Coordinates of all heavy atoms in Angstrom, one line a residue:
M136 N 304.9 180.4 14.3 CA 304.4 180.4 12.9 C 303.0 181.0 12.9 O 302.2 180.7 13.8 CB 304.4 179.0 12.3 CG 305.8 178.4 12.2 SD 305.8 176.8 11.5 CE 305.2 175.9 13.0
N137 N 302.7 181.8 11.9 CA 301.4 182.5 11.9 C 300.7 182.4 10.6 O 301.3 182.2 9.5 CB 301.7 184.1 12.1 CG 302.3 184.4 13.4 OD1 301.9 183.8 14.4 ND2 303.3 185.2 13.4
V138 N 299.4 182.5 10.8 CA 298.5 182.5 9.6 C 297.6 183.8 9.8 O 297.2 184.0 11.0 CB 297.7 181.2 9.4 CG1 296.9 180.9 10.6 CG2 296.8 181.3 8.2
T139 N 297.3 184.5 8.7 CA 296.4 185.6 8.8 C 295.0 185.3 8.2 O 295.0 184.8 7.0 CB 297.0 186.8 8.1 OG1 298.2 187.2 8.6 CG2 296.0 188.0 8.1
F140 N 294.0 185.4 9.0 CA 292.6 185.3 8.4 C 292.1 186.6 8.1 O 292.1 187.5 9.0 CB 291.7 184.6 9.5 CG 292.0 183.1 9.7 CD1 292.8 182.7 10.7 CD2 291.5 182.2 8.8 CE1 293.1 181.4 10.9 CE2 291.8 180.8 9.0 CZ 292.6 180.4 10.0
I141 N 291.5 186.8 6.9 CA 290.9 188.1 6.5 C 289.4 187.8 6.6 O 288.8 187.0 5.9 CB 291.3 188.5 5.1 CG1 292.9 188.6 5.1 CG2 290.7 189.8 4.7 CD1 293.4 188.4 3.7
L142 N 288.8 188.5 7.6 CA 287.3 188.2 7.8 C 286.5 188.9 6.8 O 287.0 189.7 6.0 CB 287.0 188.7 9.2 CG 287.9 188.1 10.3 CD1 287.4 188.6 11.7 CD2 288.0 186.6 10.3
K143 N 285.2 188.7 6.8 CA 284.3 189.2 5.8 C 284.2 190.7 5.8 O 284.0 191.4 4.8 CB 282.9 188.6 6.0 CG 282.8 187.2 5.6 CD 281.4 186.6 5.8 CE 281.5 185.1 5.6 NZ 280.3 184.4 6.0
D144 N 284.5 191.3 7.0 CA 284.5 192.8 7.1 C 285.9 193.4 6.8 O 286.1 194.5 7.0 CB 284.0 193.3 8.4 CG 284.9 192.9 9.6 OD1 286.0 192.2 9.3 OD2 284.6 193.1 10.7
Q145 N 286.7 192.5 6.3 CA 288.1 192.9 5.8 C 289.1 193.1 7.0 O 290.2 193.5 6.8 CB 288.1 194.1 4.9 CG 287.3 193.9 3.6 CD 287.8 192.7 2.8 OE1 289.0 192.5 2.5 NE2 286.9 191.8 2.5
T146 N 288.6 192.9 8.2 CA 289.6 193.0 9.3 C 290.5 191.7 9.3 O 290.1 190.6 8.8 CB 288.9 193.1 10.7 OG1 288.0 192.0 10.9 CG2 288.2 194.4 10.9
E147 N 291.7 191.9 9.7 CA 292.7 190.8 9.7 C 293.0 190.3 11.1 O 293.1 191.1 12.0 CB 294.0 191.2 9.0 CG 293.7 191.7 7.6 CD 295.0 191.9 6.8 OE1 296.1 191.6 7.3 OE2 294.9 192.3 5.6
R148 N 293.0 188.9 11.2 CA 293.4 188.3 12.5 C 294.6 187.5 12.3 O 294.6 186.6 11.5 CB 292.3 187.4 13.0 CG 291.0 188.1 13.5 CD 291.0 188.5 15.0 NE 291.5 187.4 15.8 CZ 290.7 186.4 16.3 NH1 289.4 186.4 16.0 NH2 291.2 185.5 17.1
I149 N 295.7 187.8 13.0 CA 296.9 187.0 12.9 C 297.0 186.1 14.0 O 296.9 186.5 15.2 CB 298.2 187.9 12.9 CG1 298.1 188.9 11.7 CG2 299.4 187.1 12.8 CD1 299.1 190.0 11.7
V150 N 297.0 184.8 13.8 CA 297.0 183.8 14.8 C 298.2 182.8 14.6 O 298.7 182.7 13.5 CB 295.7 183.0 14.9 CG1 294.5 184.0 15.1 CG2 295.4 182.2 13.6
S151 N 298.6 182.1 15.7 CA 299.7 181.2 15.5 C 299.2 179.8 15.3 O 298.1 179.4 15.7 CB 300.6 181.3 16.7 OG 299.9 181.0 17.9
F152 N 300.1 179.0 14.7 CA 299.8 177.6 14.5 C 301.0 176.7 14.8 O 302.1 177.3 14.8 CB 299.2 177.3 13.1 CG 300.2 177.4 12.0 CD1 301.0 176.4 11.6 CD2 300.4 178.7 11.3 CE1 302.0 176.5 10.6 CE2 301.3 178.8 10.3 CZ 302.1 177.7 9.9
T153 N 300.8 175.4 15.1 CA 301.9 174.5 15.2 C 301.9 173.5 14.0 O 300.8 173.3 13.4 CB 301.8 173.7 16.5 OG1 300.6 173.1 16.6 CG2 302.0 174.7 17.7
D154 N 303.0 173.0 13.7 CA 303.2 172.1 12.6 C 302.2 170.9 12.7 O 302.1 170.3 13.8 CB 304.6 171.6 12.6 CG 305.0 170.8 11.4 OD1 304.2 170.8 10.4 OD2 306.1 170.2 11.4
G155 N 301.5 170.7 11.6 CA 300.5 169.5 11.6 C 299.1 169.9 11.9 O 298.2 169.0 11.8
Q156 N 298.8 171.1 12.4 CA 297.4 171.4 12.6 C 296.8 171.7 11.3 O 297.4 172.1 10.3 CB 297.3 172.7 13.4 CG 297.6 172.6 14.9 CD 297.2 173.9 15.7 OE1 297.8 174.9 15.5 NE2 296.2 173.8 16.5
T157 N 295.5 171.5 11.2 CA 294.7 171.9 10.0 C 294.3 173.3 10.2 O 294.2 173.8 11.3 CB 293.5 171.0 9.7 OG1 292.5 171.3 10.7 CG2 293.8 169.6 9.7
L158 N 294.1 173.9 9.0 CA 293.6 175.3 9.0 C 292.3 175.4 9.8 O 292.1 176.4 10.5 CB 293.4 175.8 7.6 CG 293.5 177.2 7.2 CD1 294.6 177.9 7.8 CD2 293.6 177.3 5.6
L159 N 291.4 174.4 9.7 CA 290.2 174.5 10.4 C 290.4 174.4 12.0 O 289.8 175.1 12.7 CB 289.3 173.3 10.0 CG 287.9 173.2 10.7 CD1 287.1 174.5 10.3 CD2 287.1 172.0 10.2
E160 N 291.3 173.6 12.4 CA 291.6 173.5 13.8 C 292.1 174.8 14.4 O 291.7 175.3 15.4 CB 292.7 172.4 14.1 CG 292.2 171.0 13.9 CD 293.3 170.0 13.9 OE1 294.5 170.3 13.7 OE2 292.9 168.8 13.9
V161 N 293.0 175.5 13.6 CA 293.5 176.8 14.0 C 292.4 177.8 14.1 O 292.3 178.6 15.0 CB 294.6 177.2 13.1 CG1 295.1 178.6 13.4 CG2 295.8 176.2 13.1
A162 N 291.5 177.8 13.1 CA 290.4 178.7 13.1 C 289.5 178.5 14.3 O 289.1 179.5 15.0 CB 289.6 178.6 11.8
E163 N 289.2 177.3 14.6 CA 288.3 177.0 15.7 C 288.9 177.4 17.0 O 288.3 178.0 17.9 CB 287.9 175.5 15.7 CG 286.9 175.1 14.6 CD 286.6 173.6 14.5 OE1 287.4 172.8 15.0 OE2 285.6 173.3 13.9
E164 N 290.2 177.1 17.2 CA 290.9 177.5 18.4 C 290.9 179.0 18.6 O 290.9 179.5 19.8 CB 292.4 177.2 18.2 CG 292.9 175.9 18.9 CD 294.3 175.7 18.7 OE1 295.1 176.7 18.6 OE2 294.7 174.5 18.6
N165 N 290.8 179.8 17.6 CA 290.9 181.2 17.7 C 289.5 181.9 17.4 O 289.5 183.1 17.1 CB 291.9 181.8 16.7 CG 293.3 181.4 17.2 OD1 293.9 182.0 18.1 ND2 293.9 180.3 16.6
R166 N 288.5 181.1 17.4 CA 287.1 181.6 17.2 C 287.0 182.4 15.9 O 286.3 183.4 15.8 CB 286.7 182.5 18.4 CG 286.6 181.7 19.6 CD 286.3 182.6 20.8 NE 286.5 181.9 22.1 CZ 285.5 181.3 22.7 NH1 284.3 181.4 22.3 NH2 285.7 180.7 23.9
I167 N 287.7 181.9 14.9 CA 287.4 182.5 13.5 C 286.2 181.8 13.0 O 286.1 180.6 13.0 CB 288.6 182.1 12.6 CG1 290.0 182.6 13.2 CG2 288.4 182.7 11.2 CD1 290.2 184.1 13.3
P168 N 285.2 182.6 12.5 CA 284.0 181.9 12.1 C 284.0 181.1 10.8 O 283.5 181.6 9.8 CB 283.0 183.2 12.0 CG 283.9 184.3 11.7 CD 285.2 184.0 12.3
I169 N 284.5 179.9 10.9 CA 284.5 179.0 9.8 C 283.6 177.8 10.3 O 283.9 177.3 11.4 CB 285.9 178.5 9.4 CG1 286.7 179.7 8.9 CG2 285.7 177.4 8.3 CD1 288.1 179.3 8.5
H170 N 282.6 177.4 9.5 CA 281.7 176.4 10.1 C 281.8 175.1 9.3 O 281.2 175.0 8.2 CB 280.3 177.0 10.0 CG 280.2 178.3 10.8 ND1 280.3 178.3 12.2 CD2 280.0 179.5 10.4 CE1 280.2 179.6 12.6 NE2 280.0 180.4 11.5
G171 N 282.5 174.2 9.9 CA 282.7 172.9 9.2 C 281.7 172.0 9.8 O 281.9 171.3 10.8
A172 N 280.5 171.8 9.2 CA 279.4 171.0 9.7 C 279.8 169.6 9.8 O 279.3 168.9 10.7 CB 278.2 171.2 8.9
C173 N 280.6 169.1 9.0 CA 281.0 167.6 9.0 C 282.2 167.4 9.9 O 282.7 166.3 9.9 CB 281.2 167.1 7.6 SG 282.7 167.6 6.8
E174 N 282.7 168.4 10.5 CA 283.8 168.3 11.5 C 285.1 167.7 10.9 O 285.7 166.9 11.5 CB 283.4 167.5 12.7 CG 282.3 168.3 13.5 CD 281.8 167.5 14.7 OE1 282.3 166.4 15.0 OE2 281.0 168.1 15.4
G175 N 285.4 168.2 9.7 CA 286.6 167.8 9.1 C 286.6 166.5 8.2 O 287.6 166.0 7.8
A176 N 285.4 166.0 8.0 CA 285.3 164.8 7.2 C 285.3 165.0 5.7 O 285.2 164.0 4.9 CB 284.0 164.0 7.6
C177 N 285.5 166.2 5.3 CA 285.6 166.6 3.8 C 284.3 166.2 3.1 O 284.4 165.6 2.0 CB 286.8 165.9 3.2 SG 287.3 166.6 1.7
I178 N 283.2 166.6 3.6 CA 281.9 166.3 3.0 C 281.1 167.6 2.8 O 280.6 167.8 1.7 CB 281.1 165.3 3.8 CG1 281.8 164.0 4.0 CG2 279.7 165.1 3.2 CD1 281.2 163.0 5.0
C179 N 281.0 168.4 3.8 CA 280.0 169.5 3.8 C 280.4 170.7 2.9 O 279.5 171.4 2.4 CB 279.7 169.9 5.2 SG 281.1 170.8 6.0
G180 N 281.7 171.0 2.8 CA 282.1 172.1 2.0 C 282.0 173.4 2.8 O 282.3 174.5 2.4
G181 N 281.5 173.4 4.1 CA 281.2 174.6 4.9 C 282.5 175.3 5.3 O 282.4 176.4 5.8
C182 N 283.6 174.6 5.3 CA 284.9 175.2 5.8 C 285.7 175.8 4.6 O 286.9 176.0 4.7 CB 285.7 174.1 6.5 SG 286.3 172.8 5.4
H183 N 285.0 176.1 3.5 CA 285.6 176.7 2.3 C 286.3 178.1 2.7 O 285.7 178.9 3.3 CB 284.5 177.0 1.3 CG 284.9 177.7 0.1 ND1 284.1 178.7 -0.5 CD2 286.0 177.7 -0.6 CE1 284.7 179.2 -1.5 NE2 285.9 178.6 -1.6
V184 N 287.5 178.2 2.2 CA 288.3 179.4 2.4 C 289.0 179.7 1.0 O 289.1 178.9 0.2 CB 289.3 179.4 3.5 CG1 288.6 179.3 4.8 CG2 290.3 178.2 3.3
L185 N 289.4 181.0 0.9 CA 290.2 181.4 -0.3 C 291.6 181.6 0.2 O 291.9 182.4 1.1 CB 289.6 182.7 -0.9 CG 288.1 182.5 -1.3 CD1 287.6 183.9 -1.7 CD2 288.0 181.5 -2.5
I186 N 292.5 181.0 -0.5 CA 294.0 181.1 -0.2 C 294.5 182.3 -1.0 O 294.4 182.3 -2.2 CB 294.7 179.8 -0.6 CG1 294.1 178.6 0.2 CG2 296.2 179.9 -0.3 CD1 294.2 178.6 1.7
E187 N 295.1 183.2 -0.3 CA 295.6 184.5 -0.9 C 297.1 184.4 -1.3 O 297.5 185.2 -2.2 CB 295.4 185.7 0.0 CG 293.9 185.9 0.3 CD 293.1 186.4 -0.9 OE1 293.7 187.1 -1.7 OE2 292.0 185.9 -1.1
N188 N 297.9 183.5 -0.7 CA 299.3 183.5 -1.1 C 299.8 182.1 -0.8 O 299.1 181.2 -0.3 CB 300.1 184.5 -0.3 CG 300.1 184.2 1.2 OD1 299.3 183.4 1.7 ND2 300.9 184.9 1.9
L189 N 301.0 181.8 -1.2 CA 301.7 180.5 -0.9 C 301.0 179.3 -1.5 O 301.1 178.2 -1.0 CB 301.9 180.3 0.6 CG 302.6 181.4 1.4 CD1 302.7 181.1 2.8 CD2 304.0 181.6 0.8
A190 N 300.1 179.5 -2.5 CA 299.3 178.4 -3.0 C 300.2 177.3 -3.5 O 299.8 176.1 -3.4 CB 298.4 178.9 -4.1
D191 N 301.4 177.6 -4.0 CA 302.2 176.5 -4.5 C 302.8 175.7 -3.4 O 303.4 174.6 -3.6 CB 303.4 177.2 -5.3 CG 304.1 178.2 -4.6 OD1 303.5 178.9 -3.8 OD2 305.4 178.3 -4.8
K192 N 302.7 176.1 -2.1 CA 303.3 175.4 -1.0 C 302.2 174.5 -0.4 O 302.5 173.7 0.5 CB 303.8 176.3 0.1 CG 304.8 177.3 -0.4 CD 306.1 177.0 0.1 CE 307.3 177.8 -0.2 NZ 307.2 179.0 -1.0
L193 N 301.0 174.6 -0.8 CA 299.9 173.8 -0.2 C 299.9 172.4 -0.7 O 300.3 172.1 -1.8 CB 298.5 174.4 -0.5 CG 298.2 175.8 0.1 CD1 296.8 176.2 -0.4 CD2 298.2 175.6 1.6
P194 N 299.4 171.4 0.1 CA 299.3 170.1 -0.4 C 298.3 170.1 -1.6 O 297.4 170.9 -1.6 CB 298.7 169.3 0.7 CG 298.2 170.3 1.7 CD 298.9 171.6 1.5
K195 N 298.5 169.2 -2.5 CA 297.7 169.1 -3.7 C 296.2 168.8 -3.3 O 296.0 168.1 -2.4 CB 298.2 168.0 -4.7 CG 297.9 168.2 -6.1 CD 298.7 167.3 -7.0 CE 298.1 167.1 -8.3 NZ 296.9 166.3 -8.3
I196 N 295.3 169.4 -4.1 CA 293.9 169.1 -3.8 C 293.5 167.7 -4.2 O 293.9 167.2 -5.3 CB 293.0 170.2 -4.5 CG1 291.6 170.3 -3.9 CG2 293.0 170.1 -6.0 CD1 290.9 171.5 -4.3
S197 N 292.8 167.0 -3.3 CA 292.4 165.6 -3.6 C 291.1 165.6 -4.3 O 290.3 166.6 -4.4 CB 292.3 164.8 -2.3 OG 291.1 165.3 -1.6
D198 N 290.7 164.5 -4.9 CA 289.4 164.3 -5.6 C 288.3 164.5 -4.6 O 287.3 165.1 -5.0 CB 289.3 162.9 -6.3 CG 290.2 162.8 -7.5 OD1 290.7 163.8 -8.0 OD2 290.5 161.7 -7.9
Q199 N 288.5 164.0 -3.4 CA 287.4 164.1 -2.4 C 287.2 165.6 -2.0 O 286.1 166.1 -1.9 CB 287.8 163.3 -1.2 CG 286.6 163.2 -0.2 CD 286.9 162.5 1.0 OE1 288.0 162.0 1.2 NE2 285.9 162.4 1.9
E200 N 288.3 166.3 -1.9 CA 288.2 167.8 -1.6 C 287.5 168.5 -2.7 O 286.6 169.3 -2.5 CB 289.6 168.4 -1.3 CG 289.5 169.8 -0.8 CD 290.8 170.4 -0.5 OE1 291.8 169.7 -0.4 OE2 290.9 171.6 -0.3
N201 N 287.9 168.2 -3.9 CA 287.2 168.8 -5.1 C 285.7 168.5 -5.1 O 284.9 169.4 -5.4 CB 287.8 168.1 -6.4 CG 288.6 169.2 -7.2 OD1 288.2 170.4 -7.1 ND2 289.5 168.8 -7.9
D202 N 285.3 167.3 -4.8 CA 283.9 166.9 -4.7 C 283.2 167.8 -3.7 O 282.1 168.3 -3.9 CB 283.7 165.5 -4.5 CG 284.1 164.6 -5.7 OD1 284.3 165.2 -6.8 OD2 284.2 163.4 -5.5
A203 N 283.8 167.8 -2.5 CA 283.2 168.6 -1.4 C 283.1 170.1 -1.7 O 282.1 170.7 -1.3 CB 283.9 168.3 -0.1
L204 N 284.0 170.6 -2.5 CA 284.0 172.0 -2.8 C 282.7 172.3 -3.7 O 282.3 173.4 -3.8 CB 285.2 172.4 -3.6 CG 286.4 172.9 -2.7 CD1 287.7 173.0 -3.6 CD2 286.1 174.2 -2.0
D205 N 282.2 171.3 -4.3 CA 281.0 171.5 -5.1 C 279.8 171.9 -4.2 O 278.9 172.5 -4.7 CB 280.5 170.2 -5.8 CG 281.5 169.9 -7.0 OD1 282.2 170.8 -7.4 OD2 281.4 168.7 -7.4
N206 N 279.9 171.6 -2.9 CA 278.9 172.1 -1.9 C 279.1 173.5 -1.4 O 278.3 174.0 -0.6 CB 278.8 171.1 -0.7 CG 278.5 169.7 -1.2 OD1 277.7 169.5 -2.1 ND2 279.1 168.7 -0.5
A207 N 280.2 174.1 -1.8 CA 280.6 175.4 -1.2 C 280.1 176.5 -2.1 O 279.8 176.3 -3.3 CB 282.1 175.5 -1.1
H208 N 279.9 177.7 -1.5 CA 279.5 178.9 -2.3 C 280.7 179.7 -2.6 O 281.6 179.8 -1.8 CB 278.5 179.7 -1.4 CG 277.3 179.0 -1.1 ND1 276.3 178.7 -2.0 CD2 276.9 178.4 0.1 CE1 275.3 178.0 -1.4 NE2 275.7 177.8 -0.1
G209 N 280.6 180.4 -3.7 CA 281.7 181.4 -4.1 C 283.0 180.8 -4.3 O 284.0 181.4 -4.0
V210 N 283.0 179.6 -4.9 CA 284.3 179.0 -5.2 C 285.1 179.7 -6.3 O 284.5 180.2 -7.3 CB 284.1 177.5 -5.7 CG1 285.3 176.9 -6.2 CG2 283.5 176.7 -4.5
V211 N 286.4 179.9 -6.1 CA 287.2 180.6 -7.0 C 288.3 179.7 -7.5 O 289.1 179.1 -6.7 CB 287.9 181.9 -6.4 CG1 288.8 182.6 -7.4 CG2 286.8 182.8 -5.8
F212 N 288.4 179.5 -8.8 CA 289.4 178.6 -9.4 C 290.8 179.0 -8.9 O 291.2 180.1 -8.9 CB 289.3 178.7 -10.9 CG 290.3 177.8 -11.6 CD1 290.2 176.4 -11.5 CD2 291.4 178.3 -12.3 CE1 291.1 175.5 -12.1 CE2 292.3 177.4 -12.9 CZ 292.1 176.1 -12.8
N213 N 291.5 178.0 -8.4 CA 292.9 178.1 -8.0 C 293.1 178.8 -6.6 O 294.2 179.1 -6.2 CB 293.8 178.8 -9.0 CG 294.4 177.8 -10.0 OD1 294.4 176.6 -9.7 ND2 295.0 178.3 -11.1
K214 N 292.0 179.2 -6.0 CA 292.1 179.8 -4.7 C 291.3 179.1 -3.6 O 291.7 179.1 -2.4 CB 291.5 181.2 -4.7 CG 292.5 182.3 -5.2 CD 291.9 183.6 -5.0 CE 292.9 184.7 -5.0 NZ 292.3 186.0 -4.6
S215 N 290.3 178.4 -4.0 CA 289.4 177.8 -3.0 C 290.0 176.5 -2.5 O 290.5 175.7 -3.2 CB 288.0 177.5 -3.7 OG 287.3 178.6 -3.9
R216 N 289.9 176.4 -1.2 CA 290.3 175.1 -0.5 C 289.4 174.9 0.7 O 288.7 175.8 1.1 CB 291.8 175.2 0.0 CG 292.8 175.4 -1.0 CD 292.9 174.2 -2.0 NE 293.2 172.9 -1.3 CZ 294.4 172.3 -1.3 NH1 295.4 172.8 -2.0 NH2 294.6 171.1 -0.7
L217 N 289.4 173.7 1.2 CA 288.7 173.4 2.4 C 289.6 173.4 3.6 O 290.7 172.7 3.6 CB 288.0 172.0 2.3 CG 287.0 171.9 1.2 CD1 286.4 170.5 1.1 CD2 285.8 172.9 1.4
A218 N 289.3 174.2 4.6 CA 290.2 174.5 5.7 C 290.5 173.2 6.5 O 291.6 173.0 7.1 CB 289.6 175.5 6.7
C219 N 289.6 172.2 6.4 CA 289.8 170.9 7.2 C 290.9 170.1 6.5 O 291.4 169.1 7.0 CB 288.5 170.2 7.4 SG 287.8 169.5 5.9
Q220 N 291.1 170.4 5.2 CA 292.1 169.5 4.4 C 293.4 170.2 4.3 O 294.3 169.5 3.7 CB 291.5 169.3 3.0 CG 290.1 168.5 3.1 CD 290.2 167.2 3.8 OE1 291.0 166.4 3.5 NE2 289.5 167.1 4.9
V221 N 293.6 171.4 4.7 CA 294.9 172.1 4.6 C 295.7 171.8 5.9 O 295.4 172.4 7.0 CB 294.7 173.6 4.3 CG1 296.1 174.3 4.3 CG2 294.0 173.8 3.0
V222 N 296.7 171.0 5.8 CA 297.6 170.7 7.0 C 298.7 171.7 6.9 O 299.4 171.9 5.9 CB 298.1 169.3 6.9 CG1 299.1 169.0 8.1 CG2 297.0 168.3 7.0
L223 N 298.9 172.4 8.1 CA 299.9 173.5 8.1 C 301.3 173.0 8.4 O 301.4 172.1 9.3 CB 299.4 174.6 9.1 CG 298.1 175.3 8.7 CD1 297.5 176.0 9.9 CD2 298.4 176.2 7.6
T224 N 302.2 173.5 7.7 CA 303.6 173.1 7.9 C 304.4 174.4 8.0 O 303.9 175.5 7.7 CB 304.1 172.4 6.7 OG1 304.0 173.2 5.5 CG2 303.3 171.1 6.4
P225 N 305.7 174.3 8.5 CA 306.5 175.5 8.6 C 306.6 176.3 7.3 O 306.7 177.6 7.3 CB 307.9 175.0 9.0 CG 307.6 173.8 9.7 CD 306.4 173.2 9.0
E226 N 306.5 175.6 6.1 CA 306.6 176.3 4.8 C 305.4 177.3 4.6 O 305.5 178.2 3.8 CB 306.5 175.3 3.7 CG 307.7 174.6 3.3 CD 307.6 174.0 2.0 OE1 306.7 173.2 1.8 OE2 308.5 174.3 1.1
L227 N 304.3 177.0 5.4 CA 303.1 177.9 5.2 C 303.1 179.0 6.2 O 302.0 179.7 6.4 CB 301.9 177.0 5.3 CG 301.7 176.0 4.2 CD1 300.6 175.0 4.5 CD2 301.4 176.7 2.9
D228 N 304.2 179.3 6.9 CA 304.2 180.4 7.8 C 304.0 181.7 7.0 O 304.6 181.9 5.9 CB 305.6 180.5 8.5 CG 305.7 181.5 9.5 OD1 304.7 182.0 10.1 OD2 306.9 182.0 9.8
G229 N 303.1 182.5 7.5 CA 302.8 183.8 6.7 C 301.6 183.6 5.7 O 301.3 184.5 5.0
L230 N 300.9 182.4 5.8 CA 299.8 182.2 4.9 C 298.7 183.2 5.2 O 298.4 183.6 6.3 CB 299.3 180.8 5.2 CG 298.1 180.3 4.3 CD1 298.6 180.0 2.9 CD2 297.6 179.0 4.8
R231 N 298.0 183.6 4.1 CA 296.9 184.6 4.2 C 295.7 183.9 3.6 O 295.7 183.3 2.5 CB 297.2 185.9 3.4 CG 298.3 186.7 4.1 CD 298.6 187.9 3.3 NE 297.5 188.8 3.1 CZ 297.1 189.7 4.0 NH1 297.8 189.8 5.2 NH2 296.1 190.5 3.8
V232 N 294.6 183.9 4.4 CA 293.4 183.1 4.1 C 292.2 184.0 4.2 O 292.0 184.7 5.3 CB 293.2 181.9 5.1 CG1 292.0 181.2 4.8 CG2 294.4 181.0 5.0
C233 N 291.4 184.1 3.2 CA 290.2 185.0 3.2 C 289.0 184.1 3.4 O 288.8 183.1 2.8 CB 290.2 185.6 1.8 SG 289.4 187.1 1.7
L234 N 288.1 184.6 4.2 CA 286.8 184.0 4.3 C 285.9 184.5 3.2 O 285.7 185.7 3.0 CB 286.1 184.3 5.7 CG 286.5 183.4 6.9 CD1 288.0 183.3 7.0 CD2 285.8 183.8 8.1
P235 N 285.3 183.5 2.5 CA 284.5 184.0 1.3 C 283.2 184.7 1.7 O 282.7 184.4 2.8 CB 284.2 182.7 0.6 CG 284.4 181.6 1.6 CD 285.3 182.1 2.6
H236 N 282.7 185.5 0.9 CA 281.4 186.2 1.1 C 280.3 185.2 0.7 O 280.6 184.2 0.0 CB 281.3 187.4 0.3 CG 282.3 188.4 0.7 ND1 282.1 189.3 1.7 CD2 283.6 188.7 0.3 CE1 283.1 190.1 1.9 NE2 284.1 189.7 1.0
G237 N 279.1 185.6 1.0 CA 277.9 184.8 0.5 C 277.6 183.5 1.2 O 277.0 182.7 0.6
R238 N 278.1 183.4 2.4 CA 277.6 182.2 3.2 C 276.7 182.6 4.3 O 277.0 183.7 4.9 CB 278.8 181.5 3.8 CG 279.5 180.6 3.0 CD 280.2 179.5 3.8 NE 280.9 179.9 5.0 CZ 282.2 179.9 5.1 NH1 282.9 179.5 4.2 NH2 282.8 180.3 6.2
Ligands
LIG1105 S1 284.5 170.6 7.7 FE1 283.1 169.8 6.3 S2 284.3 169.8 4.5 FE2 285.7 170.7 5.9

């Protein structure tokens, strides 16, 4: 199963994931530059990404994730998520994720 990260220079990196990994874990494994300062505790907002497709297949955003997104830059309604909170499942094979500008 694969996820595509679209980097700030618009290059695309297709990487594989296993069921149950978070988007942040997959990014870190593949040296995708997402900086989660709180290491997945859903506080810092630094792992903010923009979801480009399959949004309806993602787990619902929690109140805590919503609060942490207040600390992120360039938030886009209905696209912004925190990579540490997105648990990947087979349904999310083919997910496309954009790294936001302005960080
Ligand atoms: S790593 Fe800090 S909110 Fe995701």
